Amino acid sequence: MLGSSRSRRRRLITGLAGLGLLVTGAALQVSTGAAPAHAATPHRILFDDGHAEEAGNADWIISTSKPDPLSQDSSPSSETDWTGALSSWGVALQKTGDYSLKTATSALTYGGSTTTDLSNFDTLVLPEPNTLFTTAEKTAIMNFVKNGGGLFMISDHTGADRNSDGEDAVEILNDLMTNNSVDSTDPFGFSIDSLSISSGYPAAISDSTDPVLHGSFGTVTKSLIASGTTATLKPADNSSVKGLLYRSGYSGNTGAFFATSTFGSGRVAFWGDSSPIDDGTGQSGNTLYDGWNDTGATNAPLALNATEWLAGGSSSGGGDDGGSGTCTAAQLLGNSGFESGSTTWSASSGVITNSSSQSPRTGSYYAWLDGYGTATTDTLSQSVTIPSACTTAALSFYLHIDTAETSTSTAYDTLKVQVLNSSGTVLSTLATYSNLNAASGYTQRSFSLASYAGQTVTLKFTGTEGSTLQTSFVVDDTALGVS
């Protein structure tokens, strides 16, 4: 039976807190403007160079001009116009006119004011990092992806400790996924294997619809291992994980050399070796290998298609997702029924709960805003990217309202349902409910978000309660279906 009024309740959720599923701290409040704003063009790509990516013989940069490679050459025509072992990658993107590229040389942040803050980008590339990310950096990276960013993780073989600090890329990237404050429960659905595979040409799976294997930059058939590793996939932890290229003799959940996944509203790609992105040229004194142009592989299309996909681009259209691609019917909201606690959602303390004082519509968990009988504001939000090629985007949720208010004319307590942009500006108030809408049971509410196709927006519920009698706004079974 659905609950009615109750006294102050911070919040009858001890079971949930014990599972470690509560949102902690203001860092997860996506309404602060930290969510990335994906524009149709240009796609904004940040290459990391703050974690010893140039140590030893490594030269994993797109240009020696940092943060802006355009300062070295504002209109590069060949990869030698920029200096770095990743210059082929950078120049290829730059020449499309659809990408804005920068390099980060200091600590990664999210929601800050620096030019290389992650909130200013659509995709972060981690090209074989060789120092551990700090606790704050891991929080920043994970929230960036959760709120709609793309993450490209490029590893190397185990033991590739280029700066002799005791850490290699395998350990560093696994630490990012398993030792962070946002979600350490196998968030991407894979772990990187501690292997050193000397050579090979991993082959692509047969999937003509995959935008990474068959993108606007070409078709991928094989990649290259020149001392690298693979990943073990765990679809039970994240059903979106997908192996795209496999080491010879492997398939399924083992031996994945290139894999993709999603987390929250964001996308993730993994590559098991840095040799495929090495173009053989760079700064003087480095020993480099031209895997980018290896004739036995198709590494350039793989890197470029994956970058396009991570940044929110379509599977066709030359790197521009401005409406020329296709729309795959899907439900976009993560943890739509709240059964995974606060995963994917950002919420005030105690909003997502399995308290017996209210009843979920389905399952065990739901979102309960307000209901204290004192002046209170509760929020619930999630950032989501609506594909530009989709003509239908239908937001729906089930809402139950109960109240101790007796007025039949005055809205003392309200729930606003709003759409915000990346700066936290309200684009639209879809509806405002109040104590006057109280009724038994759940009622489904639906709205069209088709006008936001091609954008990353934040869906936000804000419950505001007056200082005396309680009103509870209970939400369950959300969805954002696109087609």
Side-chain angles (χ1 to χ4, degrees):
M1 178 179 293
L2 289 164
S4 56
S5 62
R6 77 271 191 246
S7 60
R8 282 186 63 85
R9 43 138 183 124
R10 289 285 182 190
R11 169 80 72 120
L12 300 179
I13 50 162
T14 54
L16 179 62
L19 290 173
L21 296 175
L22 286 178
V23 174
T24 57
L28 298 186
Q29 294 298 322
V30 299
S31 60
T32 61
H38 292 227
T41 56
H43 299 308
R44 302 162 302 171
I45 315 298
L46 181 67
F47 287 81
D48 181 49
D49 186 33
H51 297 85
E53 281 92 351
E54 295 180 70
N57 287 330
D59 196 42
W60 309 136
I61 57 173
I62 56 174
S63 169
T64 51
S65 176
K66 310 165 196 175
D68 190 356
L70 296 180
S71 296
Q72 182 174 15
D73 190 317
S74 61
S75 184
S77 59
S78 68
E79 63 92 7
T80 54
D81 291 334
W82 289 355
T83 304
L86 306 188
S87 60
S88 287
W89 188 354
V91 169
L93 293 174
Q94 182 66 35
K95 288 170 66 176
T96 69
D98 294 334
Y99 291 83
S100 172
L101 311 177
K102 295 291 187 294
T103 299
T105 58
S106 56
L108 296 170
T109 61
Y110 182 47
S113 59
T114 65
T115 57
T116 56
D117 185 84
L118 288 172
S119 63
N120 297 318
F121 296 90
D122 301 305
T123 296
L124 170 65
V125 181
L126 302 178
E128 196 193 332
N130 253 258
T131 59
L132 287 166
F133 298 102
T134 66
T135 298
E137 286 181 310
K138 288 185 286 186
T139 299
I141 294 169
M142 296 299 293
N143 278 330
F144 167 70
V145 180
K146 178 181 175 182
N147 293 335
L151 178 64
F152 205 153
M153 299 192 298
I154 300 167
S155 185
D156 201 355
H157 61 91
T158 190
D161 180 9
R162 298 180 183 271
N163 61 341
S164 302
D165 69 345
E167 304 290 346
D168 57 38
V170 173
E171 296 165 326
I172 291 163
L173 295 174
N174 278 334
D175 178 73
L176 169 64
M177 295 185 286
T178 62
N179 184 26
N180 67 79
S181 65
V182 179
D183 187 342
S184 293
T185 59
D186 194 21
F188 305 153
F190 65 85
S191 60
I192 303 173
D193 303 323
S194 295
L195 296 175
S196 182
I197 305 165
S198 61
S199 62
Y201 284 94
I205 64 171
S206 177
D207 186 346
S208 62
T209 66
D210 190 274
V212 175
L213 298 179
H214 300 273
S216 62
F217 291 98
T219 297
V220 175
T221 57
K222 290 185 178 182
S223 187
L224 163 76
I225 300 179
S227 293
T229 189
T230 55
T232 297
L233 311 187
K234 304 174 185 178
D237 295 339
N238 185 329
S239 60
S240 70
V241 70
K242 179 181 180 181
L244 299 188
L245 291 95
Y246 284 85
R247 180 185 180 190
S248 179
Y250 291 81
S251 62
N253 294 335
T254 59
F257 183 62
F258 196 104
T260 58
S261 187
T262 62
F263 175 62
S265 301
R267 296 172 174 180
V268 179
F270 158 79
W271 209 339
D273 194 0
S274 54
S275 296
I277 57 171
D278 187 343
D279 62 23
T281 68
Q283 299 173 81
S284 176
N286 289 328
T287 303
L288 303 172
Y289 173 82
D290 189 3
W292 186 265
N293 297 303
D294 190 294
T295 57
T298 48
N299 292 317
L302 181 54
L304 297 168
N305 287 344
T307 308
E308 180 183 20
W309 177 76
L310 288 168
S314 65
S315 59
S316 62
D320 185 349
D321 68 347
S324 59
T326 59
C327 176
T328 301
Q331 194 290 109
L332 301 181
L333 291 182
N335 189 23
S336 59
F338 306 106
E339 295 306 303
S340 297
S342 293
T343 300
T344 307
W345 294 94
S346 296
S348 300
S349 177
V351 163
I352 299 176
T353 178
N354 63 349
S355 167
S356 60
S357 295
Q358 292 280 352
S359 295
R361 178 178 176 271
T362 60
S364 301
Y365 288 90
Y366 54 91
W368 183 0
L369 295 90
D370 298 332
Y372 296 93
T374 60
T376 305
T377 298
D378 276 340
T379 61
L380 172 74
S381 60
Q382 184 175 148
S383 182
V384 62
T385 300
I386 302 174
S388 61
C390 294
T391 58
T392 299
L395 171 68
S396 65
F397 56 90
Y398 285 84
L399 176 65
H400 165 66
I401 304 172
D402 65 53
T403 187
E405 302 284 0
T406 58
S407 175
T408 59
S409 60
T410 302
Y412 291 109
D413 312 310
T414 61
L415 176 73
K416 290 184 178 181
V417 184
Q418 297 175 310
V419 181
L420 288 70
N421 67 12
S422 62
S423 299
T425 301
V426 175
L427 301 176
S428 174
T429 297
L430 302 175
T432 300
Y433 306 100
S434 73
N435 50 281
L436 301 178
N437 302 115
S440 60
Y442 281 91
T443 301
Q444 188 178 35
R445 313 288 184 171
S446 301
F447 306 90
S448 174
L449 301 185
S451 62
Y452 302 105
Q455 300 182 47
T456 293
V457 295
T458 296
L459 308 177
K460 186 177 182 182
F461 299 81
T462 302
T464 305
E465 189 173 33
S467 59
T468 55
L469 302 175
Q470 76 87 24
T471 299
S472 294
F473 301 100
V474 187
V475 179
D476 203 359
D477 295 334
T478 66
L480 177 53
V482 297
S483 60

